[in-house]
Amino acid sequence: MQYKAEIHVTLKRTVNDPQGLAIRGGLHSLGYETVETVRAGKFIEVWLEAESSEEAERQAEQMSDQLLANPVIEDYTVSVTEASNAI
Amino acid sequence: MQYKAEIHVTLKRTVNDPQGLAIRGGLHSLGYETVETVRAGKFIEVWLEAESSEEAERQAEQMSDQLLANPVIEDYTVSVTEASNAI
């Protein structure tokens, strides 16, 4: 069965986020004065073959630990759905 | 009222994604042979003041059009929720 894992990688709340600050600055320059905070993260979609949804989720979490996220400064969340076919 | 807009920016399906290909290569090297496709995108969280959820969503869409996404090669989705306080 093919599954799609959606992985959000975000900086831990205590870690400084220069990209988010730069985006906030840009939005303020464009007139969006009501913007208070911006945090920038990554969104990674992985299509994979697995025997079950649980197995796909376990693999996606392992991938995040090993490659996709830096556990020292980043958090991640994994959400798995069935996928009819890859793009 | 304070709202949090979650914005996903992804490359259009027809656009080549070198970052996604590099991640797929890395995952294969680590032994994740079942991975078929990887797409890499951005996940941007924006905390903003607005009078209603609809107004917050309208603003977040405008920000995406103007700054956060490149409409030539990227798609985006916006999802707004009430936020008790910024981080």
Side-chain angles (χ1 to χ4, degrees):
Chain A
M1 180 76 88
Q2 192 175 58
Y3 294 92
K4 177 188 175 189
E6 295 188 342
I7 300 158
H8 289 86
V9 180
T10 51
L11 284 167
K12 286 184 195 287
R13 293 314 183 196
T14 49
V15 175
N16 197 25
D17 178 6
Q19 195 187 353
L21 290 174
I23 294 172
R24 191 181 69 156
L27 290 172
H28 282 184
S29 303
L30 287 170
Y32 297 104
E33 300 289 347
T34 56
V35 169
E36 287 171 15
T37 310
V38 177
R39 302 286 288 183
K42 286 176 281 182
F43 175 57
I44 301 162
E45 297 164 289
V46 177
W47 283 261
L48 73 163
E49 281 288 331
E51 297 202 345
S52 67
S53 161
E54 290 72 26
E55 170 65 16
E57 190 169 332
R58 200 187 57 76
Q59 284 202 29
E61 284 174 358
Q62 229 174 40
M63 291 175 205
S64 304
D65 278 328
Q66 283 190 265
L67 184 76
L68 305 178
N70 175 351
V72 178
I73 57 166
E74 291 173 325
D75 291 321
Y76 65 83
T77 61
V78 170
S79 143
V80 168
T81 53
E82 275 187 32
S84 48
N85 54 352
I87 56 167
Chain B
M1 182 75 89
Q2 191 175 58
Y3 294 93
K4 177 188 174 188
E6 295 188 342
I7 301 159
H8 290 86
V9 180
T10 50
L11 283 168
K12 287 184 195 288
R13 291 317 182 196
T14 49
V15 175
N16 198 23
D17 178 5
Q19 196 188 351
L21 290 174
I23 293 172
R24 190 180 69 154
L27 290 173
H28 282 184
S29 302
L30 287 171
Y32 297 103
E33 299 291 346
T34 56
V35 170
E36 288 172 13
T37 310
V38 177
R39 302 285 289 181
K42 286 176 281 184
F43 175 57
I44 301 162
E45 297 164 290
V46 178
W47 284 261
L48 72 164
E49 281 288 331
E51 297 201 344
S52 67
S53 161
E54 290 72 26
E55 170 64 15
E57 190 168 334
R58 202 187 56 74
Q59 284 202 29
E61 284 175 357
Q62 231 174 38
M63 290 175 206
S64 303
D65 277 327
Q66 283 190 265
L67 184 76
L68 305 178
N70 175 350
V72 178
I73 55 166
E74 291 173 325
D75 292 320
Y76 64 84
T77 61
V78 170
S79 143
V80 167
T81 52
E82 275 187 33
S84 47
N85 54 353
I87 57 166

